[in-house]
Amino acid sequence: MPTTTPSESAPSAPTSVPPADGKKIPYTGKPTENPNATLVPGKMRSDREELPEGFTKEEADKAEMKEAELQKQTLGLRAAVAPGCQVYWPSDFQVCGAIRDKYNSLGAQFSFLGFPTTNELTNPDGHGKRSVFVNGPIYWSAASGAHPVVNHFFAAWQRNGWETGPLGYPTTDEIVNPDNFGRRQEFQNTAAIYWNVNEAYAVRGAIRDKWNTVNAERPGSLLGYPISDEKVLPDGQGRMNRFERGVLYWHPSFGAHPVSGIILSEWTETGFETGQYGYPTSDERAANPGRIQDFQRGQLSFGTLSDASDQLYDCAINVSWPERHSSTYWVKSNITANCADPKKKIEAVTNWFYTPPGGNEQRGRGSVLTATDPVNNVHTFSEEYLSPCTNATWRLRVVFNITNADGGVMSDRKNSEPIAINGCESIPPNCPSSIQTADCNATIQAYMFALKRNYATQPGYSGFKEFNNDFNHIPPPIGKYLEYDIYPNDSPGGRRAERLLIDDGDPTGKIWFSKDHFTTQAGYTGFELR
């Protein structure tokens, strides 16, 4: 430690000689004592101890001189260092007052903050103070105390205007959340910054108050962690935060309400608060059956309709509950419309949605099905298949566009009841005994080819029939071509049968795909898949 003799004149700088072996003591990041040090005039601490990375001997010597000045203060002598301040060798920057106390309580230069890189600074408000360290600052105000803000928390605070922004000053250090993983830091103005995995975002005011009522970020909560800061909406009045499992919107006239799951999917497609429904005016609630939520200009619901017929103008329409097809690879629903007056055309625009266990709702595929030839005024649409079958809660939304005989068009929408589907599989059934192992593997590849392109297959009816290659549109097989039917679901009229061909004698397992097989068999348009 530096030593001085009480005197009105400034003493020499505290000095010492290097250790007896002439080597400097390595810097370890921890306080060290030099048992071989002997204070003698003309030698500095930097002469006997290695410096931390980033410091020069000149800086270290200045710091040691300030340490000597601080010792003067303890002896009641005049000193160049401000009262209540401290320096941390080899940095010569002063840390003062409440910020110094917080810094020391965290471990000073040996803490996560590292060494100071500035003297104490006055903040733009003219009242608060801050000191900056290698890994972040400590901010102080009379109302909030002194607290460090570092890493992702500092980045989020910076995005929101630091202490002059809507969050104000920090009022706590970082706090571990109830899940024992995420962290948060509290700020003034009913605000906090929350961190989880990769980023931190701010939640504040009425939105945070509402978020707390739905269990905030805690396990099992409705919305989970924030994944955006609070945003001002285009009308200049509303505010919103996006969360892991939904959104929370606030408007001065309607308050704060969360929107999530199926209703959020529907509201998203209509344009959020700028669309036909406007802002949410209530939380989601049970409708017995189903769920419903009120908006400025209407309601959004799901599960409120069943597979029983429902009247749409003069048509009784039916959208059955989604179900797993017996093959375990596809999900389907039946769609019909029975109209009192003849119709020129009925178009069913379908969109599928599924929610995996513990996950967010995702959009499956969509299609447009058209029925123009009703039987006894009943329009029956092709069974709607999706691929692949996923263990999840499924629902189907159908927008019906009904064209009257005079050309007028009426439109409306119906949602199927959400239903949990389990037992899905991802590989095809065993190949028939008539096909060799290599070609069975090729068949699996063919099946997966169809699967990836949203085709439906009927393996039970495939592989037992030999393909007639009399037109010689593909090379002669080594053995014989076996037919495997597939059903692409991308044509205006619904599913159509196509065909995969497997050469049961080809050890390389070649696969041929017969495009539009049943409509162009005389002019075969096959091509080799592998």
mmCIF file of all heavy atoms in Angstrom, residues 117-164:
data_model
loop_
_atom_site.group_PDB
_atom_site.id
_atom_site.type_symbol
_atom_site.label_atom_id
_atom_site.label_comp_id
_atom_site.label_asym_id
_atom_site.label_seq_id
_atom_site.Cartn_x
_atom_site.Cartn_y
_atom_site.Cartn_z
ATOM 1 N N THR A 117 -13.607 3.635 -17.460
ATOM 2 C CA THR A 117 -13.050 4.241 -18.677
ATOM 3 C C THR A 117 -13.386 5.723 -18.780
ATOM 4 O O THR A 117 -13.009 6.372 -19.764
ATOM 5 C CB THR A 117 -13.589 3.515 -19.931
ATOM 6 O OG1 THR A 117 -15.018 3.601 -19.950
ATOM 7 C CG2 THR A 117 -13.182 2.044 -19.929
ATOM 8 N N THR A 118 -14.125 6.264 -17.803
ATOM 9 C CA THR A 118 -14.398 7.701 -17.751
ATOM 10 C C THR A 118 -14.425 8.123 -16.291
ATOM 11 O O THR A 118 -14.575 7.297 -15.387
ATOM 12 C CB THR A 118 -15.773 8.066 -18.358
ATOM 13 O OG1 THR A 118 -16.815 7.547 -17.510
ATOM 14 C CG2 THR A 118 -15.936 7.536 -19.767
ATOM 15 N N ASN A 119 -14.272 9.417 -16.060
ATOM 16 C CA ASN A 119 -14.624 9.971 -14.769
ATOM 17 C C ASN A 119 -16.145 10.040 -14.670
ATOM 18 O O ASN A 119 -16.862 9.760 -15.639
ATOM 19 C CB ASN A 119 -14.011 11.360 -14.600
ATOM 20 C CG ASN A 119 -12.499 11.302 -14.459
ATOM 21 O OD1 ASN A 119 -11.962 10.452 -13.753
ATOM 22 N ND2 ASN A 119 -11.807 12.215 -15.139
ATOM 23 N N GLU A 120 -16.660 10.413 -13.525
ATOM 24 C CA GLU A 120 -18.107 10.543 -13.368
ATOM 25 C C GLU A 120 -18.614 11.655 -14.278
ATOM 26 O O GLU A 120 -18.038 12.733 -14.370
ATOM 27 C CB GLU A 120 -18.448 10.846 -11.923
ATOM 28 C CG GLU A 120 -19.954 10.859 -11.669
ATOM 29 C CD GLU A 120 -20.279 10.991 -10.197
ATOM 30 O OE1 GLU A 120 -20.194 9.975 -9.476
ATOM 31 O OE2 GLU A 120 -20.588 12.124 -9.771
ATOM 32 N N LEU A 121 -19.738 11.365 -14.983
ATOM 33 C CA LEU A 121 -20.320 12.297 -15.945
ATOM 34 C C LEU A 121 -21.702 12.720 -15.476
ATOM 35 O O LEU A 121 -22.414 11.953 -14.820
ATOM 36 C CB LEU A 121 -20.424 11.635 -17.326
ATOM 37 C CG LEU A 121 -19.120 11.067 -17.901
ATOM 38 C CD1 LEU A 121 -19.408 10.234 -19.132
ATOM 39 C CD2 LEU A 121 -18.151 12.200 -18.227
ATOM 40 N N THR A 122 -22.091 13.939 -15.834
ATOM 41 C CA THR A 122 -23.454 14.415 -15.550
ATOM 42 C C THR A 122 -24.341 14.102 -16.739
ATOM 43 O O THR A 122 -23.976 14.363 -17.888
ATOM 44 C CB THR A 122 -23.460 15.928 -15.280
ATOM 45 O OG1 THR A 122 -22.629 16.196 -14.148
ATOM 46 C CG2 THR A 122 -24.875 16.413 -14.997
ATOM 47 N N ASN A 123 -25.530 13.545 -16.497
ATOM 48 C CA ASN A 123 -26.443 13.153 -17.557
ATOM 49 C C ASN A 123 -27.158 14.359 -18.158
ATOM 50 O O ASN A 123 -27.170 15.448 -17.566
ATOM 51 C CB ASN A 123 -27.454 12.140 -17.022
ATOM 52 C CG ASN A 123 -26.782 10.850 -16.611
ATOM 53 O OD1 ASN A 123 -25.732 10.490 -17.139
ATOM 54 N ND2 ASN A 123 -27.380 10.152 -15.654
ATOM 55 N N PRO A 124 -27.772 14.189 -19.347
ATOM 56 C CA PRO A 124 -28.427 15.317 -20.024
ATOM 57 C C PRO A 124 -29.500 16.019 -19.202
ATOM 58 O O PRO A 124 -29.788 17.187 -19.434
ATOM 59 C CB PRO A 124 -29.024 14.671 -21.278
ATOM 60 C CG PRO A 124 -28.124 13.516 -21.563
ATOM 61 C CD PRO A 124 -27.733 12.987 -20.209
ATOM 62 N N ASP A 125 -30.108 15.298 -18.229
ATOM 63 C CA ASP A 125 -31.147 15.953 -17.421
ATOM 64 C C ASP A 125 -30.560 16.917 -16.392
ATOM 65 O O ASP A 125 -31.291 17.621 -15.698
ATOM 66 C CB ASP A 125 -32.033 14.919 -16.731
ATOM 67 C CG ASP A 125 -31.262 14.006 -15.770
ATOM 68 O OD1 ASP A 125 -30.084 14.295 -15.473
ATOM 69 O OD2 ASP A 125 -31.847 13.002 -15.330
ATOM 70 N N GLY A 126 -29.231 16.951 -16.272
ATOM 71 C CA GLY A 126 -28.581 17.870 -15.347
ATOM 72 C C GLY A 126 -28.584 17.413 -13.908
ATOM 73 O O GLY A 126 -28.031 18.095 -13.034
ATOM 74 N N HIS A 127 -29.188 16.255 -13.615
ATOM 75 C CA HIS A 127 -29.298 15.773 -12.241
ATOM 76 C C HIS A 127 -28.608 14.424 -12.049
ATOM 77 O O HIS A 127 -27.847 14.249 -11.098
ATOM 78 C CB HIS A 127 -30.766 15.668 -11.828
ATOM 79 C CG HIS A 127 -31.511 16.956 -11.945
ATOM 80 N ND1 HIS A 127 -31.313 18.018 -11.083
ATOM 81 C CD2 HIS A 127 -32.465 17.361 -12.832
ATOM 82 C CE1 HIS A 127 -32.102 19.024 -11.435
ATOM 83 N NE2 HIS A 127 -32.816 18.650 -12.491
ATOM 84 N N GLY A 128 -28.909 13.465 -12.922
ATOM 85 C CA GLY A 128 -28.349 12.132 -12.782
ATOM 86 C C GLY A 128 -26.873 12.090 -13.132
ATOM 87 O O GLY A 128 -26.329 12.991 -13.783
ATOM 88 N N LYS A 129 -26.211 11.007 -12.701
ATOM 89 C CA LYS A 129 -24.787 10.815 -12.953
ATOM 90 C C LYS A 129 -24.576 9.424 -13.546
ATOM 91 O O LYS A 129 -25.398 8.510 -13.385
ATOM 92 C CB LYS A 129 -23.979 10.936 -11.653
ATOM 93 C CG LYS A 129 -24.178 12.244 -10.896
ATOM 94 C CD LYS A 129 -23.513 13.412 -11.588
ATOM 95 C CE LYS A 129 -23.650 14.687 -10.761
ATOM 96 N NZ LYS A 129 -22.994 15.846 -11.425
ATOM 97 N N ARG A 130 -23.426 9.263 -14.176
ATOM 98 C CA ARG A 130 -23.036 7.956 -14.675
ATOM 99 C C ARG A 130 -21.512 7.861 -14.721
ATOM 100 O O ARG A 130 -20.812 8.877 -14.861
ATOM 101 C CB ARG A 130 -23.599 7.698 -16.078
ATOM 102 C CG ARG A 130 -22.952 8.497 -17.187
ATOM 103 C CD ARG A 130 -23.681 8.279 -18.515
ATOM 104 N NE ARG A 130 -23.018 8.935 -19.635
ATOM 105 C CZ ARG A 130 -23.157 10.218 -19.967
ATOM 106 N NH1 ARG A 130 -23.941 11.015 -19.226
ATOM 107 N NH2 ARG A 130 -22.523 10.715 -21.010
ATOM 108 N N SER A 131 -21.018 6.668 -14.595
ATOM 109 C CA SER A 131 -19.621 6.333 -14.853
ATOM 110 C C SER A 131 -19.619 5.157 -15.808
ATOM 111 O O SER A 131 -20.431 4.216 -15.661
ATOM 112 C CB SER A 131 -18.874 5.963 -13.573
ATOM 113 O OG SER A 131 -18.593 7.109 -12.803
ATOM 114 N N VAL A 132 -18.718 5.199 -16.773
ATOM 115 C CA VAL A 132 -18.661 4.150 -17.788
ATOM 116 C C VAL A 132 -17.477 3.242 -17.484
ATOM 117 O O VAL A 132 -16.379 3.714 -17.154
ATOM 118 C CB VAL A 132 -18.542 4.751 -19.196
ATOM 119 C CG1 VAL A 132 -18.521 3.643 -20.252
ATOM 120 C CG2 VAL A 132 -19.704 5.709 -19.460
ATOM 121 N N PHE A 133 -17.711 1.938 -17.632
ATOM 122 C CA PHE A 133 -16.690 0.932 -17.384
ATOM 123 C C PHE A 133 -16.485 0.118 -18.666
ATOM 124 O O PHE A 133 -17.217 0.298 -19.650
ATOM 125 C CB PHE A 133 -17.104 0.046 -16.214
ATOM 126 C CG PHE A 133 -17.353 0.827 -14.950
ATOM 127 C CD1 PHE A 133 -18.604 1.392 -14.699
ATOM 128 C CD2 PHE A 133 -16.335 1.044 -14.034
ATOM 129 C CE1 PHE A 133 -18.831 2.144 -13.560
ATOM 130 C CE2 PHE A 133 -16.546 1.800 -12.888
ATOM 131 C CZ PHE A 133 -17.797 2.353 -12.654
ATOM 132 N N VAL A 134 -15.499 -0.759 -18.652
ATOM 133 C CA VAL A 134 -15.164 -1.513 -19.859
ATOM 134 C C VAL A 134 -16.388 -2.227 -20.419
ATOM 135 O O VAL A 134 -16.621 -2.232 -21.633
ATOM 136 C CB VAL A 134 -14.040 -2.527 -19.561
ATOM 137 C CG1 VAL A 134 -13.841 -3.473 -20.746
ATOM 138 C CG2 VAL A 134 -12.738 -1.796 -19.246
ATOM 139 N N ASN A 135 -17.222 -2.802 -19.574
ATOM 140 C CA ASN A 135 -18.350 -3.608 -20.048
ATOM 141 C C ASN A 135 -19.709 -2.969 -19.807
ATOM 142 O O ASN A 135 -20.734 -3.649 -19.868
ATOM 143 C CB ASN A 135 -18.305 -4.991 -19.395
ATOM 144 C CG ASN A 135 -17.096 -5.781 -19.832
ATOM 145 O OD1 ASN A 135 -16.781 -5.827 -21.020
ATOM 146 N ND2 ASN A 135 -16.393 -6.376 -18.887
ATOM 147 N N GLY A 136 -19.744 -1.676 -19.564
ATOM 148 C CA GLY A 136 -21.023 -0.999 -19.418
ATOM 149 C C GLY A 136 -20.985 0.061 -18.334
ATOM 150 O O GLY A 136 -20.001 0.159 -17.586
ATOM 151 N N PRO A 137 -22.051 0.861 -18.227
ATOM 152 C CA PRO A 137 -22.077 1.962 -17.264
ATOM 153 C C PRO A 137 -22.824 1.607 -15.980
ATOM 154 O O PRO A 137 -23.566 0.626 -15.902
ATOM 155 C CB PRO A 137 -22.847 3.040 -18.036
ATOM 156 C CG PRO A 137 -23.856 2.235 -18.816
ATOM 157 C CD PRO A 137 -23.177 0.946 -19.181
ATOM 158 N N ILE A 138 -22.617 2.428 -14.978
ATOM 159 C CA ILE A 138 -23.504 2.486 -13.809
ATOM 160 C C ILE A 138 -24.164 3.864 -13.848
ATOM 161 O O ILE A 138 -23.476 4.882 -13.965
ATOM 162 C CB ILE A 138 -22.738 2.308 -12.487
ATOM 163 C CG1 ILE A 138 -22.199 0.882 -12.375
ATOM 164 C CG2 ILE A 138 -23.652 2.606 -11.301
ATOM 165 C CD1 ILE A 138 -21.389 0.637 -11.111
ATOM 166 N N TYR A 139 -25.512 3.864 -13.767
ATOM 167 C CA TYR A 139 -26.278 5.110 -13.771
ATOM 168 C C TYR A 139 -26.843 5.352 -12.379
ATOM 169 O O TYR A 139 -27.239 4.407 -11.680
ATOM 170 C CB TYR A 139 -27.426 5.033 -14.779
ATOM 171 C CG TYR A 139 -27.050 5.477 -16.171
ATOM 172 C CD1 TYR A 139 -26.196 4.719 -16.965
ATOM 173 C CD2 TYR A 139 -27.547 6.666 -16.702
ATOM 174 C CE1 TYR A 139 -25.856 5.121 -18.243
ATOM 175 C CE2 TYR A 139 -27.213 7.081 -17.981
ATOM 176 C CZ TYR A 139 -26.359 6.307 -18.741
ATOM 177 O OH TYR A 139 -26.022 6.727 -20.003
ATOM 178 N N TRP A 140 -26.892 6.637 -12.007
ATOM 179 C CA TRP A 140 -27.439 7.010 -10.708
ATOM 180 C C TRP A 140 -28.365 8.204 -10.850
ATOM 181 O O TRP A 140 -28.125 9.113 -11.657
ATOM 182 C CB TRP A 140 -26.309 7.402 -9.751
ATOM 183 C CG TRP A 140 -26.811 8.002 -8.463
ATOM 184 C CD1 TRP A 140 -27.135 7.351 -7.323
ATOM 185 C CD2 TRP A 140 -27.063 9.396 -8.200
ATOM 186 N NE1 TRP A 140 -27.579 8.221 -6.351
ATOM 187 C CE2 TRP A 140 -27.545 9.496 -6.875
ATOM 188 C CE3 TRP A 140 -26.936 10.558 -8.970
ATOM 189 C CZ2 TRP A 140 -27.899 10.716 -6.302
ATOM 190 C CZ3 TRP A 140 -27.288 11.773 -8.400
ATOM 191 C CH2 TRP A 140 -27.758 11.850 -7.065
ATOM 192 N N SER A 141 -29.463 8.184 -10.091
ATOM 193 C CA SER A 141 -30.286 9.374 -9.873
ATOM 194 C C SER A 141 -30.770 9.315 -8.440
ATOM 195 O O SER A 141 -30.806 8.237 -7.824
ATOM 196 C CB SER A 141 -31.473 9.445 -10.836
ATOM 197 O OG SER A 141 -32.501 8.553 -10.435
ATOM 198 N N ALA A 142 -31.150 10.450 -7.904
ATOM 199 C CA ALA A 142 -31.596 10.498 -6.510
ATOM 200 C C ALA A 142 -32.833 9.629 -6.290
ATOM 201 O O ALA A 142 -33.019 9.045 -5.220
ATOM 202 C CB ALA A 142 -31.880 11.946 -6.113
ATOM 203 N N ALA A 143 -33.688 9.535 -7.319
ATOM 204 C CA ALA A 143 -34.933 8.777 -7.167
ATOM 205 C C ALA A 143 -34.751 7.281 -7.356
ATOM 206 O O ALA A 143 -35.549 6.487 -6.853
ATOM 207 C CB ALA A 143 -35.972 9.295 -8.164
ATOM 208 N N SER A 144 -33.718 6.856 -8.103
ATOM 209 C CA SER A 144 -33.610 5.448 -8.482
ATOM 210 C C SER A 144 -32.400 4.736 -7.912
ATOM 211 O O SER A 144 -32.318 3.510 -7.963
ATOM 212 C CB SER A 144 -33.565 5.337 -10.009
ATOM 213 O OG SER A 144 -32.440 6.048 -10.522
ATOM 214 N N GLY A 145 -31.432 5.469 -7.384
ATOM 215 C CA GLY A 145 -30.220 4.847 -6.887
ATOM 216 C C GLY A 145 -29.246 4.545 -8.010
ATOM 217 O O GLY A 145 -29.422 4.989 -9.154
ATOM 218 N N ALA A 146 -28.215 3.769 -7.714
ATOM 219 C CA ALA A 146 -27.159 3.449 -8.680
ATOM 220 C C ALA A 146 -27.271 1.995 -9.112
ATOM 221 O O ALA A 146 -27.341 1.094 -8.267
ATOM 222 C CB ALA A 146 -25.787 3.715 -8.064
ATOM 223 N N HIS A 147 -27.273 1.776 -10.447
ATOM 224 C CA HIS A 147 -27.423 0.421 -10.980
ATOM 225 C C HIS A 147 -26.668 0.291 -12.303
ATOM 226 O O HIS A 147 -26.721 1.204 -13.146
ATOM 227 C CB HIS A 147 -28.898 0.085 -11.206
ATOM 228 C CG HIS A 147 -29.725 0.225 -9.975
ATOM 229 N ND1 HIS A 147 -29.716 -0.710 -8.967
ATOM 230 C CD2 HIS A 147 -30.568 1.217 -9.566
ATOM 231 C CE1 HIS A 147 -30.521 -0.322 -8.001
ATOM 232 N NE2 HIS A 147 -31.050 0.846 -8.330
ATOM 233 N N PRO A 148 -25.997 -0.837 -12.516
ATOM 234 C CA PRO A 148 -25.347 -1.070 -13.810
ATOM 235 C C PRO A 148 -26.365 -1.485 -14.862
ATOM 236 O O PRO A 148 -27.381 -2.120 -14.551
ATOM 237 C CB PRO A 148 -24.374 -2.208 -13.510
ATOM 238 C CG PRO A 148 -25.014 -2.954 -12.383
ATOM 239 C CD PRO A 148 -25.753 -1.925 -11.565
ATOM 240 N N VAL A 149 -26.106 -1.126 -16.126
ATOM 241 C CA VAL A 149 -26.922 -1.572 -17.266
ATOM 242 C C VAL A 149 -25.941 -2.053 -18.333
ATOM 243 O O VAL A 149 -25.161 -1.253 -18.852
ATOM 244 C CB VAL A 149 -27.809 -0.451 -17.834
ATOM 245 C CG1 VAL A 149 -28.787 -1.020 -18.862
ATOM 246 C CG2 VAL A 149 -28.567 0.260 -16.726
ATOM 247 N N VAL A 150 -25.976 -3.329 -18.666
ATOM 248 C CA VAL A 150 -24.945 -3.887 -19.544
ATOM 249 C C VAL A 150 -25.559 -4.796 -20.607
ATOM 250 O O VAL A 150 -26.720 -5.198 -20.534
ATOM 251 C CB VAL A 150 -23.896 -4.679 -18.732
ATOM 252 C CG1 VAL A 150 -23.199 -3.775 -17.731
ATOM 253 C CG2 VAL A 150 -24.528 -5.862 -18.012
ATOM 254 N N ASN A 151 -24.731 -5.111 -21.597
ATOM 255 C CA ASN A 151 -25.013 -6.096 -22.641
ATOM 256 C C ASN A 151 -26.362 -5.842 -23.332
ATOM 257 O O ASN A 151 -26.641 -4.735 -23.754
ATOM 258 C CB ASN A 151 -24.934 -7.512 -22.054
ATOM 259 C CG ASN A 151 -23.556 -7.825 -21.512
ATOM 260 O OD1 ASN A 151 -22.563 -7.328 -22.038
ATOM 261 N ND2 ASN A 151 -23.479 -8.612 -20.459
ATOM 262 N N HIS A 152 -27.211 -6.891 -23.458
ATOM 263 C CA HIS A 152 -28.478 -6.757 -24.180
ATOM 264 C C HIS A 152 -29.402 -5.747 -23.508
ATOM 265 O O HIS A 152 -30.203 -5.091 -24.184
ATOM 266 C CB HIS A 152 -29.176 -8.116 -24.276
ATOM 267 C CG HIS A 152 -28.483 -9.084 -25.178
ATOM 268 N ND1 HIS A 152 -27.632 -10.054 -24.717
ATOM 269 C CD2 HIS A 152 -28.499 -9.221 -26.525
ATOM 270 C CE1 HIS A 152 -27.169 -10.754 -25.730
ATOM 271 N NE2 HIS A 152 -27.671 -10.276 -26.835
ATOM 272 N N PHE A 153 -29.307 -5.624 -22.194
ATOM 273 C CA PHE A 153 -30.143 -4.647 -21.494
ATOM 274 C C PHE A 153 -29.754 -3.226 -21.905
ATOM 275 O O PHE A 153 -30.619 -2.376 -22.130
ATOM 276 C CB PHE A 153 -30.014 -4.822 -19.981
ATOM 277 C CG PHE A 153 -30.672 -6.062 -19.472
ATOM 278 C CD1 PHE A 153 -29.965 -7.248 -19.379
ATOM 279 C CD2 PHE A 153 -32.007 -6.054 -19.103
ATOM 280 C CE1 PHE A 153 -30.571 -8.402 -18.918
ATOM 281 C CE2 PHE A 153 -32.630 -7.206 -18.644
ATOM 282 C CZ PHE A 153 -31.904 -8.385 -18.548
ATOM 283 N N PHE A 154 -28.458 -2.995 -22.023
ATOM 284 C CA PHE A 154 -28.014 -1.663 -22.437
ATOM 285 C C PHE A 154 -28.466 -1.376 -23.865
ATOM 286 O O PHE A 154 -28.904 -0.259 -24.175
ATOM 287 C CB PHE A 154 -26.492 -1.556 -22.326
ATOM 288 C CG PHE A 154 -25.973 -0.188 -22.683
ATOM 289 C CD1 PHE A 154 -26.065 0.856 -21.775
ATOM 290 C CD2 PHE A 154 -25.416 0.060 -23.922
ATOM 291 C CE1 PHE A 154 -25.600 2.123 -22.103
ATOM 292 C CE2 PHE A 154 -24.951 1.311 -24.262
ATOM 293 C CZ PHE A 154 -25.040 2.359 -23.347
ATOM 294 N N ALA A 155 -28.383 -2.383 -24.762
ATOM 295 C CA ALA A 155 -28.808 -2.185 -26.154
ATOM 296 C C ALA A 155 -30.292 -1.839 -26.230
ATOM 297 O O ALA A 155 -30.701 -0.946 -26.981
ATOM 298 C CB ALA A 155 -28.500 -3.437 -26.974
ATOM 299 N N ALA A 156 -31.111 -2.540 -25.436
ATOM 300 C CA ALA A 156 -32.548 -2.253 -25.449
ATOM 301 C C ALA A 156 -32.836 -0.879 -24.855
ATOM 302 O O ALA A 156 -33.700 -0.136 -25.353
ATOM 303 C CB ALA A 156 -33.299 -3.330 -24.662
ATOM 304 N N TRP A 157 -32.143 -0.531 -23.789
ATOM 305 C CA TRP A 157 -32.320 0.790 -23.173
ATOM 306 C C TRP A 157 -31.899 1.888 -24.142
ATOM 307 O O TRP A 157 -32.567 2.920 -24.263
ATOM 308 C CB TRP A 157 -31.507 0.847 -21.885
ATOM 309 C CG TRP A 157 -31.818 1.984 -20.971
ATOM 310 C CD1 TRP A 157 -33.040 2.560 -20.749
ATOM 311 C CD2 TRP A 157 -30.898 2.694 -20.140
ATOM 312 N NE1 TRP A 157 -32.938 3.565 -19.822
ATOM 313 C CE2 TRP A 157 -31.627 3.668 -19.433
ATOM 314 C CE3 TRP A 157 -29.533 2.576 -19.913
ATOM 315 C CZ2 TRP A 157 -31.028 4.535 -18.530
ATOM 316 C CZ3 TRP A 157 -28.934 3.436 -18.998
ATOM 317 C CH2 TRP A 157 -29.666 4.406 -18.323
ATOM 318 N N GLN A 158 -30.816 1.659 -24.849
ATOM 319 C CA GLN A 158 -30.358 2.629 -25.850
ATOM 320 C C GLN A 158 -31.411 2.832 -26.936
ATOM 321 O O GLN A 158 -31.701 3.963 -27.337
ATOM 322 C CB GLN A 158 -29.043 2.149 -26.471
ATOM 323 C CG GLN A 158 -28.462 3.075 -27.527
ATOM 324 C CD GLN A 158 -27.219 2.497 -28.157
ATOM 325 O OE1 GLN A 158 -27.110 1.288 -28.351
ATOM 326 N NE2 GLN A 158 -26.256 3.343 -28.472
ATOM 327 N N ARG A 159 -32.015 1.713 -27.438
ATOM 328 C CA ARG A 159 -33.066 1.823 -28.457
ATOM 329 C C ARG A 159 -34.219 2.682 -27.986
ATOM 330 O O ARG A 159 -34.912 3.308 -28.786
ATOM 331 C CB ARG A 159 -33.611 0.440 -28.824
ATOM 332 C CG ARG A 159 -32.726 -0.428 -29.649
ATOM 333 C CD ARG A 159 -33.501 -1.578 -30.280
ATOM 334 N NE ARG A 159 -34.298 -2.330 -29.337
ATOM 335 C CZ ARG A 159 -33.896 -3.406 -28.685
ATOM 336 N NH1 ARG A 159 -32.659 -3.856 -28.857
ATOM 337 N NH2 ARG A 159 -34.705 -4.043 -27.853
ATOM 338 N N ASN A 160 -34.447 2.670 -26.678
ATOM 339 C CA ASN A 160 -35.575 3.393 -26.105
ATOM 340 C C ASN A 160 -35.198 4.739 -25.505
ATOM 341 O O ASN A 160 -35.944 5.309 -24.718
ATOM 342 C CB ASN A 160 -36.254 2.516 -25.048
ATOM 343 C CG ASN A 160 -37.067 1.391 -25.664
ATOM 344 O OD1 ASN A 160 -38.227 1.557 -26.018
ATOM 345 N ND2 ASN A 160 -36.441 0.222 -25.807
ATOM 346 N N GLY A 161 -34.014 5.274 -25.881
ATOM 347 C CA GLY A 161 -33.666 6.639 -25.519
ATOM 348 C C GLY A 161 -32.999 6.821 -24.189
ATOM 349 O O GLY A 161 -33.014 7.917 -23.630
ATOM 350 N N TRP A 162 -32.372 5.741 -23.641
ATOM 351 C CA TRP A 162 -31.713 5.816 -22.345
ATOM 352 C C TRP A 162 -32.634 6.424 -21.273
ATOM 353 O O TRP A 162 -33.840 6.232 -21.322
ATOM 354 C CB TRP A 162 -30.406 6.600 -22.445
ATOM 355 C CG TRP A 162 -29.311 5.889 -23.175
ATOM 356 C CD1 TRP A 162 -28.656 4.762 -22.771
ATOM 357 C CD2 TRP A 162 -28.748 6.255 -24.440
ATOM 358 N NE1 TRP A 162 -27.704 4.411 -23.711
ATOM 359 C CE2 TRP A 162 -27.727 5.303 -24.730
ATOM 360 C CE3 TRP A 162 -28.974 7.288 -25.346
ATOM 361 C CZ2 TRP A 162 -26.966 5.365 -25.886
ATOM 362 C CZ3 TRP A 162 -28.212 7.348 -26.492
ATOM 363 C CH2 TRP A 162 -27.229 6.397 -26.757
ATOM 364 N N GLU A 163 -32.055 7.186 -20.352
ATOM 365 C CA GLU A 163 -32.834 7.716 -19.225
ATOM 366 C C GLU A 163 -33.783 8.836 -19.627
ATOM 367 O O GLU A 163 -34.720 9.153 -18.893
ATOM 368 C CB GLU A 163 -31.905 8.193 -18.099
ATOM 369 C CG GLU A 163 -31.247 9.552 -18.320
ATOM 370 C CD GLU A 163 -30.062 9.510 -19.279
ATOM 371 O OE1 GLU A 163 -29.702 8.408 -19.760
ATOM 372 O OE2 GLU A 163 -29.478 10.574 -19.541
ATOM 373 N N THR A 164 -33.563 9.438 -20.793
ATOM 374 C CA THR A 164 -34.470 10.503 -21.243
ATOM 375 C C THR A 164 -35.660 9.952 -22.027
ATOM 376 O O THR A 164 -36.549 10.700 -22.404
ATOM 377 C CB THR A 164 -33.716 11.517 -22.121
ATOM 378 O OG1 THR A 164 -33.185 10.839 -23.267
ATOM 379 C CG2 THR A 164 -32.582 12.160 -21.334
#
